[in-house]
């Protein structure tokens, strides 16, 4: 199947939305916690969280602006300047999914979807108590994306809570050790299995790669 820009545009709207949302593959499932003085705590699932840099430690995520539809997360972050990102575990996917339902300003997704808000001293945004990985961030930038009228929210990490056994000696996070979940499209959830780790890629090591591929090819044809 070959879909050109024209054919994509002519597709059924819902089918096009589902295809483009899932075409990039599995993305991390995260719950973003925020708070408003007037409306209280808010929790919403996002699949657009990305690493932007390690020094300073920056993460970004994409949100639509609030002109047409209320965006409680975005409103709260602009108001309070801090927020949390919490990994979704496999036993939480149904509860996490329903945080995307449209709710009234005064509704708390923590309460409605059976999560527990957790605060630490001096940080005015709620973490998800049930999450195994929790990140507290301070808003640094809000970058408009003119092509589709969205914004990238850039936050600097202030706090990380993580099980020690999930960190390798090199500092990598083992997603299989924390029962992490990924999202494809808008509503399909996946778990992760560890496959392998490789050293930092250097051009001089390509000979080793070629030898390995040659061995695999020879084995498959024998």
């Amino acid at each position: 199947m070959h879909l050109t820009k024209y054919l994509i545009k002519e597709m059924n709207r819902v089918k096009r939305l589902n295809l483009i949302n899932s075409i990039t593959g599995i993305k991390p499932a995260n719950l973003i916690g925020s708070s408003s003085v007037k409306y209280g705590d808010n929790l919403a699932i996002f699949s657009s969280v990305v690493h932007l840099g390690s020094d300073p430690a920056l993460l970004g995520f994409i949100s639509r602006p609030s002109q047409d539809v209320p965006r409680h997360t975005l409103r709260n972050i602009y108001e309070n300047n801090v927020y949390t990102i919490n990994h979704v575990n496999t036993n939480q996917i149904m509860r996490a999914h329903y945080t995307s339902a449209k709710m009234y300003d005064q509704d708390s997704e923590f309460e409605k979807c059976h999560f527990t808000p957790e605060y630490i001293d001096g940080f005015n945004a709620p973490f998800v108590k049930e999450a195994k990985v929790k990140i507290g961030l301070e808003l640094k930038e809000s970058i408009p994306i003119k092509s589709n009228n969205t914004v990238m929210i850039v936050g600097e990490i202030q706090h990380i809570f993580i099980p020690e056994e999930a960190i390798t000696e090199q500092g990598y996070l083992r997603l299989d050790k924390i029962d992490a979940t990924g999202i494809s499209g808008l509503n399909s959830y996946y778990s992760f299995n560890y496959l392998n780790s490789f050293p930092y890629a250097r051009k001089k090591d390509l000979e080793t790669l070629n030898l390995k591929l040659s061995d695999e090819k020879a084995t498959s044809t024998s």
Side-chain angles (χ1 to χ4, degrees):
M1 179 185 291
H2 175 202
L3 297 174
T4 63
K5 177 181 176 180
Y6 172 78
L7 292 175
I8 294 169
K9 188 174 180 61
E10 292 300 308
M11 288 176 69
N12 170 272
R13 177 183 174 275
V14 174
K15 188 173 182 179
R16 180 178 68 244
L17 182 150
N18 291 335
L19 174 63
I20 302 305
N21 267 285
S22 60
I23 200 69
T24 57
I26 297 173
K27 298 160 287 187
N30 288 288
L31 288 165
I32 294 184
S34 61
S35 185
S36 165
V37 172
K38 183 177 180 179
Y39 299 112
D41 296 338
N42 179 263
L43 191 66
I45 192 164
F46 282 81
S47 63
S48 59
V49 174
V50 293
H51 159 265
L52 296 177
S54 57
D55 187 17
L58 300 177
L59 300 179
F61 75 93
I62 303 297
S63 176
R64 293 193 178 277
S66 54
Q67 288 95 329
D68 300 321
V69 177
R71 306 290 176 185
H72 300 159
T73 297
L74 195 60
R75 177 200 64 200
N76 293 353
I77 291 174
Y78 287 158
E79 175 190 325
N80 207 22
N81 217 46
V82 291
Y83 57 101
T84 70
I85 295 176
N86 308 267
H87 283 217
V88 176
N89 303 129
T90 56
N91 65 348
Q92 301 167 352
I93 57 176
M94 181 179 291
R95 289 181 287 160
H97 179 72
Y98 280 95
T99 64
S100 62
K102 292 180 175 62
M103 299 191 191
Y104 295 116
D105 284 338
Q106 64 271 23
D107 289 334
S108 169
E109 291 82 1
F110 280 96
E111 178 184 351
K112 298 291 186 182
C113 299
H114 306 280
F115 288 102
T116 308
E118 183 177 48
Y119 280 85
I120 64 170
D121 290 342
F123 194 80
N124 295 321
F127 295 88
V128 175
K129 184 175 182 179
E130 293 81 1
K132 293 184 178 179
V133 176
K134 313 168 195 182
I135 310 163
L137 302 100
E138 179 184 1
L139 175 65
K140 303 305 291 185
E141 292 184 69
S142 175
I143 304 171
I145 301 174
K146 296 179 181 180
S147 300
N148 63 351
N149 197 31
T150 59
V151 292
M152 171 174 275
I153 298 298
V154 178
E156 183 175 358
I157 295 175
Q158 308 296 311
H159 303 278
I160 294 177
F161 298 93
I162 192 168
E164 289 188 19
E165 63 271 18
I167 299 291
T168 70
E169 291 184 4
Q170 297 79 22
Y172 293 110
L173 174 62
R174 281 284 301 267
L175 297 175
D176 56 323
K177 298 290 187 182
I178 57 168
D179 195 28
T181 302
I183 302 177
S184 177
L186 298 175
N187 55 11
S188 297
Y189 294 82
Y190 294 81
S191 59
F192 295 105
N193 293 317
Y194 174 79
L195 297 177
N196 208 336
S197 294
F198 301 98
Y200 183 83
R202 293 180 172 85
K203 183 178 179 180
K204 66 182 181 64
D205 296 326
L206 286 175
E207 183 176 347
T208 302
L209 171 64
N210 292 333
L211 289 172
K212 177 68 174 175
L213 293 177
S214 296
D215 290 342
E216 291 177 356
K217 184 177 181 180
T219 301
S220 64
T221 56
S222 61

